[in-house]
Amino acid sequence: MKCLLVDGWRRLSAPACRLCAASGAGPLCTACVESLPWNDCACERCAQPLSTMQRLCARCQRRAPPYDHAGASFRLEAPIQQMIYGLKSHARLDNAELLAQLMTSAHPAFVDEHCLLVPVPLFRHRLRRRGYNQALELARRLARRLQLRCDGLAVTQVRASRDLTRLDRPARRREVRGAYTVDPARVRGQALVLVDDVMTTGATVESISRLCRQAGAASISVWTAARTP
Ligand SMILES: [Zn+2]
Ligand SMILES: [Zn+2]
């Protein structure tokens, strides 16, 4: 009787699945985890979601990006899109915890014990307004779960850039040029993994990758929670 009571209480007090409300299965139940938009069919180089099983996307076939590999755990679709929006715009840091948990459950092969996680930085004005950098929140949690090193000071944003979401690819490239700086002492010889919440055209991580290459990084990869198709 006592065991039944304890068990029943545990079920009542354990959080429900955030998506289907299955009791005691929180934060996400197995069925909901399986139905997430995992980015399983993607370009091996830039993580662009692909509709057919091919190794590289058309763009990477023409010209390789300046980083070695990119991995995105999810396609930017519901409910991941809402989780990221909550993290970015409504200080839902519990979403960073959940995303980190999901991302580390099936992480890319280039994420190993030698790598150094480096979050994509925010410009100080935006950081002051928001109070936190979602990429750093994510990187810290990924590092803690996988027992990796994380360096939030290796890359700094030195110039504000406009909101990139409305710009096309050439405009994004112009916008991010000269916006970042890298501390060579922190990246030289390191196997870097740049961490961000979302990768869209990749203009930001491409710009940072070029700087890290010049600064002597041993390898540069990119790991984001989601990738836009
Ligand atoms: Zn569920
Ligand atoms: Zn590609």
Side-chain angles (χ1 to χ4, degrees):
M1 183 62 194
K2 191 165 169 246
C3 284
L4 275 177
L5 266 175
V6 169
D7 197 41
W9 166 248
R10 248 190 227 127
R11 229 176 298 139
L12 279 175
S13 59
C17 171
R18 280 180 49 177
L19 296 173
C20 72
S23 65
L28 291 183
C29 73
T30 315
C32 286
V33 168
E34 279 168 10
S35 64
L36 290 172
W38 293 97
N39 190 24
D40 291 331
C41 185
C43 172
E44 284 180 11
R45 196 70 197 261
C46 76
Q48 170 79 56
L50 299 171
S51 48
T52 54
M53 267 297 179
Q54 56 191 103
R55 231 167 54 76
L56 297 174
C57 72
R59 189 166 170 259
C60 289
Q61 281 176 28
R62 283 197 305 274
R63 191 173 175 206
Y67 46 76
D68 298 298
H69 290 284
S73 302
F74 298 100
R75 300 184 302 274
L76 190 65
E77 293 170 8
I80 295 296
Q81 190 165 11
Q82 287 73 11
M83 276 181 213
I84 291 174
Y85 180 75
L87 166 62
K88 220 166 175 161
S89 306
H90 297 289
R92 288 288 305 266
L93 296 180
D94 55 326
N95 289 5
E97 193 62 51
L98 180 53
L99 286 166
Q101 188 181 346
L102 292 165
M103 288 169 77
T104 52
S105 70
H107 62 79
F110 57 74
V111 176
D112 62 20
E113 71 269 28
H114 307 294
C115 71
L116 175 67
L117 301 187
V118 172
V120 169
L122 267 191
F123 189 56
R124 59 178 185 276
H125 291 168
R126 198 168 288 178
L127 186 60
R128 212 174 297 143
R129 206 173 330 133
R130 194 178 292 174
Y132 60 95
N133 171 7
Q134 74 280 359
L136 175 61
E137 296 299 328
L138 208 49
R140 258 192 210 138
R141 287 165 173 82
L142 294 171
R144 198 189 58 226
R145 285 181 173 273
L146 296 172
Q147 298 186 321
L148 303 174
R149 294 168 302 137
C150 173
D151 188 345
L153 299 172
V155 183
T156 318
Q157 188 169 4
V158 288
R159 178 172 65 67
S161 53
R162 283 183 292 163
D163 183 7
L164 299 182
T165 48
R166 285 165 207 277
L167 304 178
D168 62 7
R169 189 185 287 272
R172 282 177 186 227
R173 284 196 67 159
R174 282 195 301 277
E175 194 59 36
V176 296
R177 200 170 293 151
Y180 297 92
T181 178
V182 167
D183 183 346
R186 289 175 176 268
V187 306
R188 193 174 298 127
Q190 301 282 357
L192 301 180
V193 175
L194 303 175
V195 174
D196 209 353
D197 53 343
V198 179
M199 183 169 168
T200 307
T201 62
T204 302
V205 289
E206 285 181 12
S207 171
I208 295 173
S209 297
R210 284 189 198 95
L211 294 173
C212 291
R213 190 78 72 191
Q214 285 162 15
S219 65
I220 304 151
S221 305
V222 181
W223 188 17
T224 65
R227 182 84 158 91
T228 54

